[in-house]
Amino acid sequence: MDALDADPIKRVDLNWETCYRIVGGIARGILYLHEDSRHRVIDRDLKASNILLDADMNPKISDFGMARLFVVDQTQENTSRIAGTFGYMAPEYAMHGRFSVKSDVYSFGVLLLEILTGLRNNSFDHLQERGNLLSYAWRHWKEGKALQLICPTLRASASVREAIRCIQIALLCVQEDALDRPTMGSVVAMLTSFSVSLALPSRPSFFVNFETTVTNRSHFAESEKLI
């Protein structure tokens, strides 16, 4: 199996239909962990390199080394040992150690934006833009240019309706307030049925200020020492 981010050159062979199927498969996988498995599992490290693709481009979520099990009816947990990948971590987890199903939803939103745009959030330097992938996507959304976010290799075969809907779903997932983010059950429903209406996303949480970015990275580095 290849990781989703293993070879960017392979994106040339990725059409919209296949991409949409991969996105749906990842969403259903997270939904299974959150709602359908014997124990509720919070991944805490959902990112492109932890999504494996088989020969038929079916996605499999891998590497559960940082995953946590929740007991019945548990919705949130706090930790002082923050582990994960900066850029995919929800703000409430990165800053305060709070994680829940909604922190996985946030990570999925970042991952979805990466898949759609072909850009990486952790090393964002697209045309010398300030900020990161989330601020870049939000700016395009607010300016009515969401379709321009889709990477050129996908745009040629993309369904405009599906593409814009996916961008909107991603932005709903990365909203700053965890309560505003959808559950993965809602995400799967939104991806599979156009009859499910979508709310308008609010401004995402993103660390565009240099001082804030450095502070968060330092916080992350100190947390890693505890592990």
Side-chain angles (χ1 to χ4, degrees):
M1 284 189 172
D2 290 329
L4 186 58
D5 68 343
D7 187 356
I9 296 176
K10 291 182 179 179
R11 290 189 66 93
V12 175
D13 300 323
L14 188 65
N15 60 30
W16 177 256
E17 183 180 355
T18 302
C19 175
Y20 200 70
R21 181 160 52 84
I22 290 172
V23 167
I26 297 170
R28 288 191 297 274
I30 305 169
L31 174 61
Y32 175 81
L33 296 176
H34 286 182
E35 297 184 18
D36 298 328
S37 64
R38 183 178 177 185
H39 299 287
R40 175 172 289 175
V41 179
I42 310 301
D43 187 280
R44 293 204 301 164
D45 196 28
L46 185 68
K47 57 185 178 180
S49 58
N50 286 344
I51 304 297
L52 302 181
L53 300 174
D54 65 18
D56 296 318
M57 302 296 277
N58 296 308
K60 306 289 182 183
I61 300 173
S62 68
D63 192 350
F64 294 96
M66 297 181 187
R68 293 289 289 270
L69 296 179
F70 273 18
V71 298
V72 177
D73 296 331
Q74 184 181 4
T75 60
Q76 179 178 294
E77 187 171 324
N78 287 18
T79 181
S80 59
R81 304 178 62 183
I82 299 172
T85 304
F86 186 84
Y88 292 94
M89 296 165 64
E92 69 275 6
Y93 180 48
M95 300 300 294
H96 306 294
R98 294 195 302 268
F99 64 92
S100 66
V101 292
K102 295 298 186 74
S103 51
D104 274 358
V105 169
Y106 181 95
S107 301
F108 173 79
V110 176
L111 176 59
L112 179 52
L113 285 174
E114 288 187 329
I115 293 172
L116 297 172
T117 63
L119 303 172
R120 295 294 301 276
N121 191 44
N122 282 347
S123 56
F124 193 77
D125 187 27
H126 187 60
L127 303 178
Q128 304 302 312
E129 294 262 359
R130 286 179 60 83
N132 60 13
L133 179 55
L134 304 191
S135 57
Y136 178 72
W138 178 248
R139 189 160 53 251
H140 276 65
W141 173 262
K142 291 294 287 183
E143 293 173 357
K145 301 176 182 177
L147 193 59
Q148 293 181 18
L149 290 167
I150 306 299
C151 74
T153 56
L154 292 176
R155 200 181 304 155
S157 59
S159 157
V160 173
R161 189 183 182 194
E162 288 179 345
I164 293 178
R165 191 173 176 87
C166 279
I167 293 291
Q168 187 170 353
I169 291 170
L171 290 174
L172 286 170
C173 290
V174 296
Q175 292 178 108
E176 185 165 9
D177 191 336
L179 293 176
D180 292 336
R181 298 173 207 150
T183 63
M184 286 310 304
S186 295
V187 169
V188 170
M190 290 186 287
L191 285 170
T192 55
S193 175
F194 281 96
S195 65
V196 178
S197 60
L198 273 61
L200 289 176
S202 59
R203 181 182 183 272
S205 170
F206 41 71
F207 307 111
V208 296
N209 179 276
F210 177 76
E211 252 179 52
T212 307
T213 303
V214 171
T215 300
N216 279 297
R217 283 178 175 165
S218 299
H219 176 69
F220 175 70
E222 290 298 317
S223 301
E224 281 289 279
K225 294 177 184 177
L226 298 174
I227 299 174

